[in-house]
């Protein structure tokens, strides 16, 4: 076999006569079976598993956050995410699955990725790294659930895609996002969310496809097809669909990131409804599944968090649905995150808080999970095996699944990315243009009132005097004359966040929860403007909003799911047209919210705007 270094690959890659690439990892010049891309994947897995030590197997089963150096370098000092350096995790702890948050430019992110792969290649077996990511194509800046990435195209949130109800559009989005992910080395999407927004107070609604199970099922499947393709391969980004068996039906709408939100309840006896989108994900071939933190209450199953629940993971997911892909827990089920000796993120071990870290790990493994998200303590599994409490053969089951996905993605054959191409692909002009167009289309026109002259308030005409809030004045000046006071304006335009209760805490301050109506002070101020000048109100609906007084008093009401100032103004001035329909209902009162059942869709009494509502501009 002739071997020639390829100019387009990192120097660790070799090119065979038939054009297949692989890495020459064996220091004695011999090619091991697991390195040979011509062999069946199962043969390669068996060969590699045979050579792995217990520590290497355990390292594969942990998946945590790794910071990206702002200059493209590896981070070799403690960070916000913990005391371990990159070398500590990759070389010492044998870990090779990492979730990334903030990234610099595409080229620097690609450079960091290649340096990380080079470090992984230097380890005994050279197992390549799988890089994962939460959603990063929309407007969310909540590092607990997603992070907007400026070097990528920008779209509305998934719930905005649901407002357009178009499977082809969702697959198009996922196809574009896949190319941008691939450009910087992200190979595993910690999404889509197949959860249903049946509890309007829940703080994760903007990541869902709304509250209708049939719509969510169609869009979830399209999303997975766009990211993965028809089959998993070297051009795929694998999907980890979450949060089985369905987050959303939370008691009082509180989120199980927090101990006070750990209970999932089903007073409408509607557990099966929440499985419908996941069944579509299985049919679409999702590579991985993430169970939620939630602790089911009142069901005939053990009342422990889903990742600890053998009836749910082994019985339902593995047994009933026949899922044999990777099951990874949600982040940080085993240990507390501490800083300066104080806990700032508690372990989400609901129902098993009394167990030790070792006992929690053993219970989750016994339930059927393959990997621990947000944790970096493989020594726990090593100790369990060495003590005889956990058979090494059980680790082998999970390691096979984890290795299989790496092989399917082609990471063993070429884990590197082209740093120059990354800058050209990520944020490509046509990708950005498509995302911006969809931001406009997904806006929902909820009210278009009458003007004093008898016409409709929207679209606005000419260059009116505008009082604005929440809009960049320089951008607004492209559409009208910006004035300082409502009394000086012909129209006011207010961009508002949906109501929520501000809370203290590292994560609590990031995930919106609590009431869905503005407090008295906020409402009085807003209504004062509405009574002074005809006002267009735009609300970012990361959750439904309870705004009956505002809806009654405004001249126009828009719901957005992530849209730039220019996208909004283009729609308000008729340069684009709103096409969205509500993917959830907007309740008429907090009393109606409290009376509805968390597990049942569109069931609040006399909603202000029902599910599917959305007006259009008249010709």
């Amino acid at each position: 076999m002739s071997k020639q270094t390829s100019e387009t690959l990192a120097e660790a890659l070799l090119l065979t006569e038939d054009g297949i690439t692989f890495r020459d990892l064996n220091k004695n010049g011999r090619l091991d079976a697991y390195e040979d891309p011509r062999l069946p994947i199962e043969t390669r897995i068996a060969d590699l598993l045979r050579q792995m030590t217990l520590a290497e197997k355990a390292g594969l089963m942990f998946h945590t956050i790794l910071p990206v150096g702002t200059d493209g370098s590896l981070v070799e000092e403690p960070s916000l995410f913990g005391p371990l350096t990159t070398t500590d995790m990759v070389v010492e702890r044998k870990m090779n699955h990492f979730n990334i948050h903030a990234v610099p430019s595409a080229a620097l992110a690609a450079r960091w990725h290649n340096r990380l792969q080079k470090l992984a290649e230097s380890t005994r077996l050279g197992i390549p790294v799988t890089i994962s990511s939460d959603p990063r194509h929309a407007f969310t800046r909540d590092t607990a659930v997603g992070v907007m990435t400026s070097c990528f195209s920008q779209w509305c949130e998934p719930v905005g895609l649901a407002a357009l109800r178009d499977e082809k559009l969702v697959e198009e989005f996922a196809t574009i996002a896949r190319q941008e992910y691939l450009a910087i080395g992200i190979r595993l999407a910690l999404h889509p969310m197949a959860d249903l927004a049946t509890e309007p107070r829940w703080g994760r609604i903007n990541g869902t496809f709304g509250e209708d199970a049939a719509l969510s099922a169609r869009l979830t499947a399209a999303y997975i097809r766009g990211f993965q393709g028809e089959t998993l391969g070297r051009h795929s980004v694998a999907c980890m669909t979450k949060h089985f068996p369905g987050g959303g039906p939370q008691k009082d709408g509180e989120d199980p990131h927090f101990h006070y939100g750990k209970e999932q309840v089903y007073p409408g006896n509607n557990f099966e409804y929440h499985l419908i989108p996941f069944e579509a994900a299985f049919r679409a071939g999702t590579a991985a599944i993430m169970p939620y933190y939630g602790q089911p209450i009142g069901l005939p199953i053990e009342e422990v968090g889903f990742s600890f629940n053998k009836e749910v993971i082994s019985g339902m997911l593995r047994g009933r649905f026949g899922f044999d892909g990777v099951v990874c827990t949600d982040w940080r089920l085993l240990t507390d995150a501490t800083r300066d000796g104080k806990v700032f993120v508690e372990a989400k071990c609901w129902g098993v808080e009394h167990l030790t870290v070792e006992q929690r790990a053993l219970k989750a493994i016994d339930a059927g999970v393959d990997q621990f998200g947000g944790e970096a303590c493989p020594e726990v599994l090593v100790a369990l095996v060495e003590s005889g409490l956990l058979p090494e053969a059980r680790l082998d089951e999970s390691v096979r699944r984890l290795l299989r996905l790496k092989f399917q993605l082609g990471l063993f054959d070429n884990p590197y990315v082209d740093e120059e191409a990354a800058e050209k692909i990520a944020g490509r002009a046509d990708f950005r243009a498509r995302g911006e167009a969809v931001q406009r289309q997904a806006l929902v026109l909820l009210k278009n009132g009458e003007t004093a002259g008898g016409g409709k308030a929207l679209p606005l005409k000419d260059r009116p005097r505008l009082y604005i809030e929440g809009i960049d004045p320089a951008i607004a000046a492209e559409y009208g004359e910006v004035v300082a006071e409502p009394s000086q304006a012909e129209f006011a335009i207010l961009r508002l966040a949906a109501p929520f209760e501000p809370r203290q805490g590292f994560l609590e301050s990031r995930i919106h929860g609590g009431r869905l109506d503005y407090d008295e002070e906020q409402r009085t101020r807003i209504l004062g403007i509405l009574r002074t000048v005809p006002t267009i109100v735009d609300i970012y609906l990361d959750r439904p909003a309870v705004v009956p007084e505002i809806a009654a008093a405004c001249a126009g009401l828009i719901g957005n799911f992530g849209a730039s100032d220019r996208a909004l103004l283009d729609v308000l001035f008729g340069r684009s047209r709103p096409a969205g329909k509500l993917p959830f209902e907007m309740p008429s009162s907090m009393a109606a919210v409290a009376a509805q059942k968390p597990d049942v869709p569109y069931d609040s009494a006399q909603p202000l705007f029902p599910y599917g509502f959305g007006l259009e501009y008249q010709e």
Side-chain angles (χ1 to χ4, degrees):
M1 179 187 297
S2 65
K3 298 181 179 181
Q4 174 184 355
T5 303
S6 169
E7 294 179 355
T8 61
L9 301 173
E11 60 185 24
L13 296 176
L14 300 174
L15 188 66
T16 67
E17 291 174 336
D18 57 6
I20 298 173
T21 60
F22 59 87
R23 298 187 303 161
D24 186 7
L25 303 176
N26 195 293
K27 301 303 185 290
N28 62 18
R30 181 178 59 80
L31 190 69
D32 281 318
Y34 77 87
E35 302 168 73
D36 192 338
R38 297 164 299 183
L39 294 176
I41 284 177
E42 296 306 316
T43 301
R44 300 175 74 183
I45 293 171
D47 180 64
L48 181 53
L49 186 61
R50 174 183 58 82
Q51 300 183 56
M52 294 179 72
T53 65
L54 175 58
E56 287 164 340
K57 293 174 184 178
L60 203 69
M61 296 175 65
F62 286 80
H63 186 163
T64 196
I65 299 166
L66 189 65
V68 179
T70 56
D71 60 353
S73 63
L74 301 181
V75 177
E76 295 295 2
E77 61 270 346
S79 70
L80 172 66
F81 305 114
L84 299 178
T85 70
T86 299
T87 297
D88 287 337
M89 287 192 273
V90 175
V91 178
E92 302 301 324
R93 295 179 182 238
K94 324 297 184 191
M95 294 172 61
N96 46 61
H97 291 82
F98 297 107
N99 171 211
I100 60 172
H101 285 186
V103 299
S105 70
L108 288 173
R111 184 176 306 167
W112 171 87
H113 170 268
N114 285 347
R115 286 172 172 167
L116 181 64
Q117 295 292 5
K118 191 69 175 176
L119 178 65
E121 187 180 342
S122 73
T123 61
R124 190 179 73 90
L125 294 173
I127 297 174
V129 169
T130 302
I131 295 295
S132 68
S133 175
D134 287 303
R136 54 178 64 243
H137 276 84
F139 285 73
T140 298
R141 296 177 183 271
D142 177 1
T143 54
V145 298
V147 56
M148 190 271 283
T149 301
S150 59
C151 63
F152 286 176
S153 56
Q154 191 169 29
W155 301 62
C156 58
E157 309 289 349
V159 74
L161 297 176
L164 293 170
R165 290 161 166 71
D166 186 340
E167 292 167 72
K168 291 183 179 178
L169 171 62
V170 170
E171 187 167 350
E172 178 190 8
F173 157 73
T175 299
I176 290 172
R178 172 181 57 81
Q179 295 174 70
E180 295 183 309
Y181 272 24
L182 287 172
I184 67 170
I186 298 171
R187 301 306 305 275
L188 178 61
L190 303 180
H191 42 99
M193 282 178 64
D195 310 294
L196 298 174
T198 52
E199 165 51 72
R201 291 168 290 186
W202 186 39
R204 303 291 303 276
I205 284 175
N206 62 340
T208 75
F209 291 122
E211 64 182 317
D212 183 81
L215 176 64
S216 178
R218 290 195 292 109
L219 301 187
T220 295
Y223 195 102
I224 293 168
R225 288 194 300 270
F227 270 99
Q228 294 191 170
E230 292 302 318
T231 58
L232 285 169
R234 59 192 180 91
H235 297 300
S236 300
V237 170
C239 285
M240 184 180 289
T241 303
K242 59 192 186 185
H243 304 86
F244 190 82
Q250 306 302 135
K251 183 180 179 183
D252 300 325
E254 298 293 357
D255 189 80
H257 270 87
F258 318 115
H259 64 87
Y260 52 78
K262 62 187 177 182
E263 296 175 317
Q264 281 190 215
V265 294
Y266 301 85
N269 195 30
N270 216 23
F271 180 87
E272 290 289 323
Y273 184 77
H274 292 261
L275 294 174
I276 293 171
F278 290 94
E279 294 180 84
F282 301 142
R283 290 192 295 270
T286 186
I289 286 288
M290 179 186 290
Y292 208 25
Y293 299 121
Q295 178 181 354
I297 302 298
L299 297 179
I301 58 176
E302 187 180 9
E303 293 187 346
V304 295
F306 287 120
S307 286
F308 300 105
N309 199 307
K310 192 168 187 176
E311 293 163 287
V312 170
I313 305 302
S314 291
M316 185 178 298
L317 180 59
R318 300 288 194 203
R320 173 178 166 183
F321 294 116
F323 180 73
D324 194 37
V326 171
V327 176
C328 178
T329 74
D330 211 331
W331 262 223
R332 197 165 285 280
L333 266 64
L334 302 181
T335 64
D336 297 327
T338 60
R339 187 188 300 156
D340 299 326
K342 297 180 180 179
V343 173
F344 73 99
V345 178
E346 61 188 327
K348 295 129 185 49
C349 48
W350 311 138
V352 297
E353 294 94 331
H354 60 288
L355 298 183
T356 65
V357 170
E358 292 76 14
Q359 290 169 332
R360 294 170 193 170
L362 188 61
K363 187 170 180 62
I365 292 287
D366 183 62
V369 305
D370 299 307
Q371 195 172 58
F372 294 94
E375 301 283 1
C377 50
E379 67 278 4
V380 170
L381 294 190
V382 171
L384 286 170
V385 173
E386 290 178 341
S387 69
L389 293 173
L390 177 63
E392 188 170 350
R394 172 61 189 85
L395 265 62
D396 291 350
E397 292 178 26
S398 293
V399 169
R400 284 190 186 93
R401 293 189 183 104
L402 293 158
L403 290 175
R404 183 176 297 117
L405 185 52
K406 286 182 186 285
F407 278 115
Q408 288 171 324
L409 294 173
L411 287 169
F412 277 93
D413 307 326
N414 180 9
Y416 296 94
V417 298
D418 187 324
E419 296 172 22
E420 292 184 9
E423 199 76 17
K424 298 174 183 176
I425 295 169
R428 217 169 71 186
D430 57 326
F431 293 171
R432 289 189 184 276
R434 194 69 185 105
E436 290 165 3
V438 171
Q439 291 176 33
R440 291 158 170 78
Q441 294 166 11
L443 294 174
V444 180
L445 179 60
L446 297 169
K447 179 182 179 180
N448 194 3
E450 301 285 339
T451 65
K456 291 294 185 182
L458 296 172
L460 300 173
K461 298 176 177 60
D462 303 324
R463 284 185 53 82
R465 295 187 304 279
L466 299 173
Y467 172 77
I468 58 171
E469 290 186 4
I471 298 174
D472 184 335
I475 294 175
E478 299 173 17
Y479 297 81
E481 179 189 348
V482 178
V483 299
E485 299 293 336
S487 59
Q488 301 169 344
E490 295 173 77
F491 286 95
I493 305 174
L494 308 183
R495 297 208 76 179
L496 307 176
F500 65 96
E501 295 176 12
R503 291 172 175 172
Q504 300 297 315
F506 179 74
L507 291 179
E508 287 92 330
S509 62
R510 290 165 165 79
I511 297 178
H512 292 175
R515 296 182 65 90
L516 299 171
D517 56 347
Y518 294 109
D519 63 31
E520 186 63 31
E521 181 180 353
Q522 293 171 313
R523 188 164 54 248
T524 298
R525 191 193 72 80
I526 294 167
L527 290 174
I529 296 171
L530 271 54
R531 290 164 181 153
T532 300
V533 60
T535 302
I536 312 302
V537 177
D538 167 69
I539 304 178
Y540 172 56
L541 296 175
D542 59 337
R543 304 188 301 161
V546 174
V547 290
E549 300 94 341
I550 291 170
C554 68
L557 183 61
I558 296 280
N560 89 73
F561 307 99
S564 68
D565 289 346
R566 191 167 278 110
L568 172 67
L569 290 168
D570 273 357
V571 168
L572 296 188
F573 280 83
R575 301 176 189 179
S576 298
R577 290 176 172 268
K581 308 294 180 186
L582 282 178
F584 44 65
E585 66 181 9
M586 292 178 63
S588 58
S589 68
M590 283 307 299
V593 169
Q596 55 87 51
K597 295 181 173 64
D599 57 326
V600 176
Y602 25 80
D603 68 329
S604 71
Q606 300 179 316
L608 181 64
F609 297 107
Y611 172 86
F613 183 84
L615 303 174
E616 297 179 0
Y617 285 161
Q618 298 176 351
E619 294 294 339

